[in-house]
Amino acid sequence: MATSEESIVLLTDGAASLLAAKTATSILRYRGENVVAVLDRSRAGQTTDQAFGVGGDTPIVAALSDVPDATTLTIGIAPPGGRVPEDWRAILIEAAGRGMKLVSGLHDFLSNDPEIAAAAEKSGSVIYDVRRNNERDLAKAKDLRDDCLRILTVGQDCSIGKMLTALELIKGLTARDVDAKFIATGQTGIMIEGDGCPVDCVVSDFVNGAVEKQILANQHHEVLIVEGQATISHPAYSCVSAGLLHGSTPHGMIMVYEVGRENVHGVEHVPLQPLPKLIEAHEMLAGLRMPSKVIGIAMNSRRVSEEEAAVERERMRGELGLPIADPLRHGVDELVDAIEKLRAEVKSR
Amino acid sequence: MATSEESIVLLTDGAASLLAAKTATSILRYRGENVVAVLDRSRAGQTTDQAFGVGGDTPIVAALSDVPDATTLTIGIAPPGGRVPEDWRAILIEAAGRGMKLVSGLHDFLSNDPEIAAAAEKSGSVIYDVRRNNERDLAKAKDLRDDCLRILTVGQDCSIGKMLTALELIKGLTARDVDAKFIATGQTGIMIEGDGCPVDCVVSDFVNGAVEKQILANQHHEVLIVEGQATISHPAYSCVSAGLLHGSTPHGMIMVYEVGRENVHGVEHVPLQPLPKLIEAHEMLAGLRMPSKVIGIAMNSRRVSEEEAAVERERMRGELGLPIADPLRHGVDELVDAIEKLRAEVKSR
C-alpha cells in the first residue's frame, strides 16, 4: 500500500496490453505522485504517457539498477489466474535482495516463494501480498443503516472500469462536500485506498461476510461507493460478483459498460449479455436481499472518438432512460446527481 | 472418505439438533454399513434410530473407549462457520493418539491444530480434512457436452435436502439402468461419494472453475446430478450458490424446499423467498450462461404428517405446475420422469 514517503517502481514487464497493465495504469492515475518509474523491458525509454496514456513523463526503465533510490516494487499487471510469471522471479529476488518492499496483488503469494522469501528475510525487506486474507465471518444481514447510502458499481464484464468509476464518483461526491468513502474490493483498489478486502481471494463461504464487514466498519460515512468485481454473468467469476452484490446490499447500482466490447474478456467465445437484460438480472438478484435499482450508466468509451462517444451516449440514454456518462470524458456530475437523488429518497423513507 | 473395510465412529457430541447433525444422519443413511457407533455424551445409551430417526440399532456411546476396534472417527456435525468446538479437542487427540483415521469437513482443518497433528504423527494416524483444496482453475465455458445431461439440485435454503434429493435421484436413475453419477460439492457428499469438490471452501475466483472441472471429468456418464449448496438468495452463502450454478451450467434444475420453513436457517430474521420468485431468479441467473428451467420440485415434508404432506403436494403441484415429490415419502419416480423427458429433449436438439 502506498504511503506518502514511498517511491514506487511499477513492474509491467511482459504485459501484453494496456488492459493487462490495469493495476499499473490505475496506480499511475490515482497515486502517481509516488511512482518514480515503470520497469518494462519491452517499453524501456518511453514515458508512461507514451506507453500507457497516463502518468505524464514518468520514465519506463529496463532494469532495477536504473532506479537505485526506489523503495517499493509493485507488481503492476494482473495476469489471468493470478500466477507469478516465471521470468519475473529474478527481478523480484533482486528487489528483495536490495531491501525493497514488494507489493503484489497476485493469487500466488510472493511470500510463499522460498527464494523470494529468503532474499527478503536476509535484507529485512517487507513482502505485502495484498490478496492474503483469513476472512472467516459469515454475513449476518443485520445492522446495515439507511443513513449511510451504499452504491455498488456493477458491470458488463471484467476490466471495464468499475474501480475507476467508483474512484471518480468519490471525487465527484467529495467535491460537493459529501463524506464519501471508497470500499476497495480488489488488489489495485486496496493499493490505492490503503484498506479494503480482496474479495476474489476470500474462501467462498465468507465472501458475503467479508464485504458486509467492510460496510459495517464504514457506516459513519454518508456514502459508500463499493468497487464491483467482474459481473454476475461472467462464466468464471460470477461467484465473486454475486457475493459482493449480496454482501454490500446496495441501495443502488451504477452499471459500467464499454462501447464496442462484444465478448467476455478472456473468454472470447462467450458473448456479453445485452445491457437491458443484465440490468434486469442485477435488479432481480439484488432484490432477493433488498430492492435495488441501477440508477445510472458509466460508459467506457476509450475505443471510440469524442464524437462517436457523444452519439453513443445519447443513443443509450434514450434506450435505457438512465443518466449516463463516461467518467473520464464527460465527468460524473450526472451520476453524482443520481446518487444524491437516491440519497434524498432513502432519507425520506 | 469411507472404504468398505472401515469401521466408523461418528462424532455428534454437542449437536443441538438433528439439523446440526446432518453429516452424521446422511452418512448413517447412505454409508450406514460402515458405521459402528455414534459418540455423543448427551444421547449415549440410545440407538441412532431413537436419536436421529435413521441407522437402525447402531449404538450411541459416551466414550471412544467403548468402541476399541473402530478405525475412523468422522466429525458428524457441521457447526455454522465450520470451527472445531473446543470440547471436542480432547476426543480428537485421544482418537489420533490411538491411531484412528480422523475425517473432518470443518473449515478449521484438524491438521492445522498442533496438538491433534502431533498426536496423529506420533501414532501414524491419518487426518483427512475433506474441505482442504487448492483449486486454481478458472472456468473456460468450453467442452461441455449435451450428451451428458447436467441436473443441479437447487433450494430455498441451506440444510433442506439438496444432497439427499441428489442421492435419491441417483438411486432412481440407476434403477432404470441410466448411468448416473453424483457430483458431490459439500463435505458430507464427498464423504459419501468418495470424490467431489468442497466448493464452499474454494477461493471465490476459482469456484466456477472447480465445479466445471468436476463436470468435465465426468461427462462419460449419461446423467450428472450435481449437489447444490445453500441458495442464491442466502444472505451469507449466495456467492457459493451462484458459482455452483454457473460452474455446473445445468440443463435443468430440481428445486428443494421444506414444508413449513419460513425463515433462513441461521439468519432467522430474514424470511425465505417465495418459491415462484426463487424459481424465476434461478432461471434468470442460470440463463445468463445457458437457458435452464426448474423441471421439478423436491419437497421436504419431515415436519408434517403423511396426510398434510399429501395435501401440500397437490396444492404446490397446482400452484407451480411442476412434478413434485418428497423423495423419502413418495419416492422420486415423478422427478426421474422429468429428468428423462429433459434428456430426450436435449438429445433431439
Side-chain angles (χ1 to χ4, degrees):
Chain A
M1 190 166 313
T3 65
S4 53
E5 304 79 37
E6 279 183 315
S7 60
I8 300 170
V9 176
L10 294 169
L11 179 60
T12 64
D13 207 83
S17 67
L18 292 192
L19 215 57
K22 74 169 181 169
T23 299
T25 55
S26 300
I27 293 175
L28 282 166
R29 190 182 307 280
Y30 294 104
R31 298 296 296 254
E33 68 279 12
N34 294 114
V35 180
V36 292
V38 166
L39 173 52
D40 191 331
R41 284 169 288 193
S42 67
R43 297 176 177 87
Q46 301 178 49
T47 66
T48 60
D49 191 52
Q50 289 165 338
F52 298 119
V54 64
D57 290 338
T58 309
I60 302 185
V61 300
L64 269 187
S65 54
D66 294 336
V67 277
D69 297 329
T71 61
T72 300
L73 180 66
T74 296
I75 293 183
I77 80 171
R83 292 176 197 272
V84 178
E86 189 50 36
D87 62 352
W88 282 2
R89 296 187 62 258
I91 298 169
L92 294 165
I93 291 167
E94 181 189 349
R98 80 176 218 203
M100 291 177 78
K101 179 176 170 183
L102 303 184
V103 179
S104 167
L106 303 185
H107 271 295
D108 268 2
F109 298 138
L110 298 186
S111 48
N112 288 352
D113 181 301
E115 279 187 274
I116 297 172
E121 195 174 344
K122 204 167 160 197
S123 72
S125 152
V126 172
I127 300 177
Y128 178 37
D129 283 304
V130 175
R131 262 180 169 144
R132 190 184 281 280
N133 73 87
N134 193 27
E135 295 291 347
R136 285 293 183 97
D137 295 297
L138 294 173
K140 296 187 180 64
K142 257 191 182 166
D143 302 324
L144 294 168
R145 281 164 31 192
D146 282 338
D147 59 348
C148 168
L149 191 79
R150 302 181 296 275
I151 300 291
L152 175 66
T153 58
V154 297
Q156 202 179 17
D157 198 2
C158 292
S159 302
I160 204 162
K162 292 179 288 288
M163 183 189 74
L164 182 145
T165 297
L167 287 164
E168 295 295 327
L169 289 171
I170 293 286
K171 283 205 254 173
L173 286 158
T174 305
R176 296 197 197 176
D177 286 327
V178 177
D179 171 18
K181 159 82 177 162
F182 173 60
I183 303 294
T185 64
Q187 65 274 18
T188 305
I190 296 169
M191 289 176 195
I192 291 167
E193 181 69 5
D195 60 19
C197 174
V199 291
D200 63 2
C201 207
V202 172
V203 164
S204 61
D205 244 3
F206 305 111
V207 166
N208 301 37
V211 176
E212 188 184 85
K213 193 164 69 174
Q214 291 291 320
I215 302 291
L216 294 176
N218 286 290
Q219 293 188 107
H220 52 288
H221 298 284
E222 290 174 304
V223 176
L224 302 179
I225 308 287
V226 183
E227 176 192 7
Q229 294 294 335
T231 174
I232 59 169
S233 62
H234 196 288
Y237 305 126
S238 55
C239 165
V240 180
S241 312
L244 186 45
L245 182 59
H246 285 157
S248 61
T249 323
H251 292 97
M253 298 171 276
I254 301 285
M255 171 68 72
V256 186
Y257 83 106
E258 182 175 6
V259 182
R261 193 187 296 201
E262 290 178 359
N263 299 306
V264 177
H265 175 57
V267 195
E268 306 289 338
H269 63 285
V270 177
L272 290 178
Q273 290 292 340
L275 275 186
K277 182 171 176 186
L278 203 57
I279 290 170
E280 187 189 350
H282 274 86
E283 293 177 350
M284 158 75 82
L285 191 59
L288 294 177
R289 279 285 293 116
M290 192 180 87
S292 182
K293 294 279 180 198
V294 171
I295 60 167
I297 307 290
M299 57 185 274
N300 171 344
S301 66
R302 61 184 158 189
R303 299 194 203 191
V304 301
S305 70
E306 191 81 34
E307 294 69 29
E308 289 168 314
V311 172
E312 166 81 2
R313 187 183 185 189
E314 294 318 312
R315 189 180 71 77
M316 290 302 281
R317 192 198 302 283
E319 186 178 329
L320 300 173
L322 286 168
I324 176 168
D326 182 322
L328 295 185
R329 267 192 166 136
H330 314 129
V332 290
D333 260 1
E334 237 182 87
L335 302 176
V336 171
D337 287 345
I339 291 171
E340 284 295 80
K341 187 174 156 218
L342 178 62
R343 191 155 72 105
E345 276 173 29
V346 170
K347 259 188 190 161
S348 71
R349 272 176 207 166
Chain B
M1 189 166 316
T3 65
S4 53
E5 303 79 37
E6 279 184 315
S7 60
I8 301 170
V9 176
L10 294 169
L11 179 60
T12 64
D13 207 84
S17 68
L18 291 192
L19 215 57
K22 74 170 181 168
T23 299
T25 55
S26 299
I27 292 175
L28 282 166
R29 189 181 308 279
Y30 295 104
R31 297 297 295 254
E33 68 278 14
N34 294 114
V35 180
V36 293
V38 166
L39 173 53
D40 192 330
R41 285 170 287 195
S42 67
R43 296 176 177 87
Q46 301 179 50
T47 67
T48 60
D49 191 55
Q50 289 165 337
F52 298 118
V54 63
D57 290 338
T58 309
I60 302 186
V61 300
L64 270 186
S65 55
D66 294 337
V67 276
D69 297 329
T71 62
T72 301
L73 180 67
T74 296
I75 292 182
I77 80 172
R83 292 176 196 272
V84 177
E86 189 50 39
D87 63 351
W88 282 3
R89 294 186 64 257
I91 298 169
L92 294 164
I93 291 167
E94 181 188 349
R98 80 177 218 202
M100 291 177 78
K101 178 176 170 185
L102 303 185
V103 179
S104 167
L106 303 185
H107 272 295
D108 269 1
F109 298 138
L110 298 186
S111 48
N112 288 351
D113 181 300
E115 277 187 276
I116 296 172
E121 197 176 341
K122 203 166 160 198
S123 71
S125 153
V126 172
I127 300 178
Y128 178 39
D129 283 305
V130 175
R131 262 180 170 145
R132 189 184 281 283
N133 73 88
N134 193 27
E135 295 292 345
R136 284 294 182 96
D137 295 298
L138 294 173
K140 295 187 182 64
K142 258 191 180 166
D143 302 324
L144 294 167
R145 282 164 31 191
D146 282 337
D147 59 348
C148 168
L149 191 79
R150 303 181 297 277
I151 300 290
L152 174 66
T153 58
V154 297
Q156 202 179 15
D157 197 2
C158 292
S159 302
I160 204 161
K162 291 179 289 289
M163 182 188 74
L164 181 146
T165 297
L167 287 164
E168 295 296 327
L169 289 171
I170 292 287
K171 282 205 255 174
L173 286 158
T174 305
R176 296 196 197 177
D177 286 328
V178 177
D179 172 17
K181 159 83 176 162
F182 173 62
I183 303 295
T185 65
Q187 65 273 18
T188 306
I190 296 169
M191 289 177 195
I192 290 167
E193 182 69 5
D195 59 19
C197 173
V199 291
D200 63 3
C201 207
V202 171
V203 164
S204 61
D205 244 4
F206 305 112
V207 166
N208 300 37
V211 176
E212 188 184 85
K213 193 164 71 175
Q214 291 290 321
I215 302 291
L216 294 175
N218 286 290
Q219 293 187 108
H220 52 288
H221 298 284
E222 291 174 303
V223 176
L224 303 180
I225 308 287
V226 183
E227 176 193 6
Q229 295 292 335
T231 175
I232 59 169
S233 63
H234 196 287
Y237 305 126
S238 56
C239 166
V240 181
S241 312
L244 185 45
L245 182 59
H246 285 157
S248 61
T249 323
H251 292 98
M253 297 171 276
I254 301 285
M255 171 68 73
V256 186
Y257 84 106
E258 182 175 7
V259 182
R261 193 187 297 202
E262 290 178 359
N263 299 308
V264 178
H265 175 57
V267 195
E268 306 289 339
H269 64 285
V270 178
L272 290 177
Q273 290 292 340
L275 275 185
K277 181 171 177 186
L278 202 57
I279 290 171
E280 187 189 350
H282 274 88
E283 292 178 350
M284 157 76 80
L285 191 60
L288 295 177
R289 280 284 294 117
M290 191 181 89
S292 182
K293 294 278 181 198
V294 170
I295 60 167
I297 307 290
M299 57 185 275
N300 171 344
S301 66
R302 62 184 157 188
R303 297 194 204 192
V304 300
S305 70
E306 191 81 35
E307 294 67 31
E308 287 168 315
V311 172
E312 166 80 3
R313 187 183 185 188
E314 295 317 312
R315 190 181 70 77
M316 291 302 282
R317 191 199 303 282
E319 185 177 330
L320 301 173
L322 286 168
I324 176 168
D326 181 322
L328 295 184
R329 268 195 166 133
H330 314 129
V332 290
D333 260 2
E334 239 184 83
L335 302 177
V336 170
D337 287 345
I339 291 170
E340 284 295 82
K341 188 176 157 215
L342 178 62
R343 190 155 73 103
E345 277 172 29
V346 171
K347 260 189 189 161
S348 71
R349 273 176 205 165

